[in-house]
């Protein structure tokens, strides 16, 4: 019986890449550390959002009563499909993996690419430009149907196409007025966080920044008790037009997002149990193996008001004012 060859052993060792994919994705993003994912079957996930609530009235004991009914709007989230392929030639894997496993390096880079692409779509996805991409938070918040009598959870700081200075009072309004049921996380670019730190040191009217340990034991800043996720997946090149967010590039603006997570609020919808590694597969037309990362996923906001809010049109160079 023939002995196990190095080539065959290398093929088998590639399967060890599967267990670490979720951990590699999650521990590198403040959003993915907290964003809950719900698995479901089928291509579409449908919900009903509140549109009008109707009103209750006081009346005399023998008065005729008027019927009031709440109304709802149907919302459908279509699952989207993201892939990354990795081809590793056998001669490279066997001959050049003395100190660095070539397949492991390629898979690690592929996982980072999947993470980066998801986060970019999570904030900036625009389905009207590419039907294969889900709508991101900017589009969802700006276009979500708001129940009558309720204020959209958005503060626009831009004046025309000119970004404005972030005000501490805007952060407080989003957290305590527009999102009355609480905020689980706020996310901002590292440049905006440094401006926030400067403001907290320079004036007594701002809230305070504290540091606590998150679920993974890493120090995490917080503003007035709300954790801050420093996330450079957010851009400082946002473009404003007519006072509101317009595009992810073309300007010098930034945004801060305020999240509430959970099954009834903001979460991710996915098929299967998350990102999956397929392979390795032997290629028939060349001496290589192929691996594939796939993730069938879409970000979703279920509640129309209390799930997510934002401040956009922020100047990324000016000092923050109270």
């Amino acid at each position: 019986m023939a002995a196990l060859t190095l080539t065959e052993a290398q093929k088998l060792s590639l399967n060890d890449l599967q267990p670490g994919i979720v951990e590699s994705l999650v521990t590198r993003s403040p959003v993915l550390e907290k964003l809950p994912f719900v698995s479901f079957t089928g291509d579409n996930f449908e919900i009903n959002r509140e549109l009008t609530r109707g009103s209750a009235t006081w009346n005399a004991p023998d008065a005729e009563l008027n019927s009031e009914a709440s109304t709802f709007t149907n919302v459908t989230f279509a699952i989207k499909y993201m892939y990354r392929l990795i081809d590793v030639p056998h001669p490279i894997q066997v001959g050049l993996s003395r100190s660095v496993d070539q397949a492991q390096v390629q898979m690690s880079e592929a996982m980072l690419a999947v993470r980066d692409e998801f986060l970019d779509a999570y904030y900036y996805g625009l389905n009207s430009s590419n039907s294969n991409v889900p709508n991101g938070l900017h589009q969802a918040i700006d276009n979500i149907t708001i129940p009558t009598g309720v204020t959209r959870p958005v503060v626009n700081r831009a004046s025309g196409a000119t970004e404005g200075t972030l005000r501490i009072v805007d952060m407080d309004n989003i957290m305590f007025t527009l999102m009355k049921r609480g905020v689980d996380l706020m996310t901002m670019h590292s440049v905006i966080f440094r401006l926030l730190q400067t403001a907290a040191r320079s004036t007594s009217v701002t809230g305070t920044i504290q540091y606590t340990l998150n679920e993974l034991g890493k120090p995490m800043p917080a503003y007035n008790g709300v954790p801050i996720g420093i996330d450079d997946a957010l851009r400082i090149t946002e473009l404003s037009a007519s006072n509101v967010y317009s595009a992810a590039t073309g300007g010098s603006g930034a945004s801060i997002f305020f999240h509430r997570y959970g099954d009834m609020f903001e979460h991710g919808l996915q098929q299967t149990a998350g990102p999956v590694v397929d392979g390795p597969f032997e290629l028939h037309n060349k001496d290589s193996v192929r691996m594939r990362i796939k993730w069938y996923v879409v970000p979703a906001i279920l509640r129309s008001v209390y799930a997510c809010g934002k401040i956009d049109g922020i100047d990324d160079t000016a000092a923050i004012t109270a």
Side-chain angles (χ1 to χ4, degrees), residues 217-248:
K218 297 188 298 184
M220 191 170 193
Y223 172 77
N224 279 357
V226 177
I228 297 173
I230 300 173
D231 192 354
D232 284 355
L234 283 163
R235 305 187 187 189
I236 51 176
T237 59
E238 295 178 8
L239 176 67
S240 296
S242 302
N243 307 334
V244 301
Y245 168 84
S246 176

Side-chain angles (χ1 to χ4, degrees), residues 247-267:
T249 58
S252 58
S255 296
I256 296 176
F257 285 89
F258 301 79
H259 313 266
R260 188 177 185 204
Y261 296 123
D263 291 349
M264 292 299 296
F265 301 97
E266 182 187 340
H267 63 268

Side-chain angles (χ1 to χ4, degrees), residues 96-233:
L96 299 177
S97 295
R98 292 182 296 274
S99 59
V100 175
D101 189 304
Q102 298 292 327
Q104 180 68 61
V105 170
Q106 291 299 321
M107 181 59 74
S108 296
E109 290 296 308
M111 285 188 280
L112 294 179
V114 168
R115 178 208 65 179
D116 292 345
E117 180 58 34
F118 174 80
L119 290 173
D120 188 66
Y122 173 76
Y123 290 116
Y124 298 107
L126 187 58
N127 184 257
S128 60
S129 295
N130 182 353
S131 61
N132 295 320
V133 176
N135 277 326
L137 294 187
H138 269 300
Q139 289 298 311
I141 296 171
D142 287 341
N143 295 284
I144 202 168
T145 302
I146 298 295
T148 55
V150 178
T151 302
R152 186 177 298 275
V154 175
V155 175
N156 306 118
R157 289 296 299 137
S159 176
T162 303
E163 289 77 24
T165 305
L166 175 66
R167 298 178 301 179
I168 296 295
V169 66
D170 293 332
M171 298 177 65
D172 292 339
N173 283 341
I174 289 286
M175 287 193 295
F176 302 120
T177 303
L178 300 181
M179 302 181 73
K180 298 173 185 177
R181 290 176 173 83
V183 181
D184 295 321
L185 178 73
M186 66 175 71
T187 52
M188 64 185 70
H189 192 278
S190 57
V191 169
I192 304 303
F193 176 69
R194 288 196 292 271
L195 292 176
L196 179 60
Q197 282 185 310
T198 299
R201 289 193 299 264
S202 63
T203 175
S204 61
V205 298
T206 65
T208 58
I209 295 178
Q210 313 90 20
Y211 281 83
T212 58
L213 296 180
N214 66 7
E215 295 88 341
L216 300 175
K218 297 188 298 184
M220 191 170 193
Y223 172 77
N224 279 357
V226 177
I228 297 173
I230 300 173
D231 192 354
D232 284 355

Side-chain angles (χ1 to χ4, degrees), residues 54-73:
S55 60
T57 58
W58 299 93
N59 219 323
D62 58 345
E64 182 176 346
L65 303 181
N66 295 320
S67 175
E68 291 279 356
S70 297
T71 61
F72 300 87
T73 182

Side-chain angles (χ1 to χ4, degrees), residues 19-92:
I21 180 170
V22 174
E23 181 180 358
S24 295
L25 288 169
V26 168
T27 57
R28 297 171 183 264
S29 165
V31 167
L32 292 175
E33 287 177 5
K34 289 184 173 291
L35 182 66
F37 286 89
V38 176
S39 297
F40 74 103
T41 58
D43 290 334
N44 296 312
F45 186 87
E46 294 188 16
I47 63 168
N48 288 316
R49 284 202 190 109
E50 179 187 64
L51 187 61
T52 62
R53 186 171 296 172
S55 60
T57 58
W58 299 93
N59 219 323
D62 58 345
E64 182 176 346
L65 303 181
N66 295 320
S67 175
E68 291 279 356
S70 297
T71 61
F72 300 87
T73 182
N74 182 264
V75 179
T76 299
F77 296 99
I79 200 75
K80 301 299 178 181
Y81 309 96
M82 179 167 47
Y83 302 91
R84 170 66 186 264
L85 294 179
I86 308 101
D87 287 352
V88 182
H90 281 304
I92 291 177

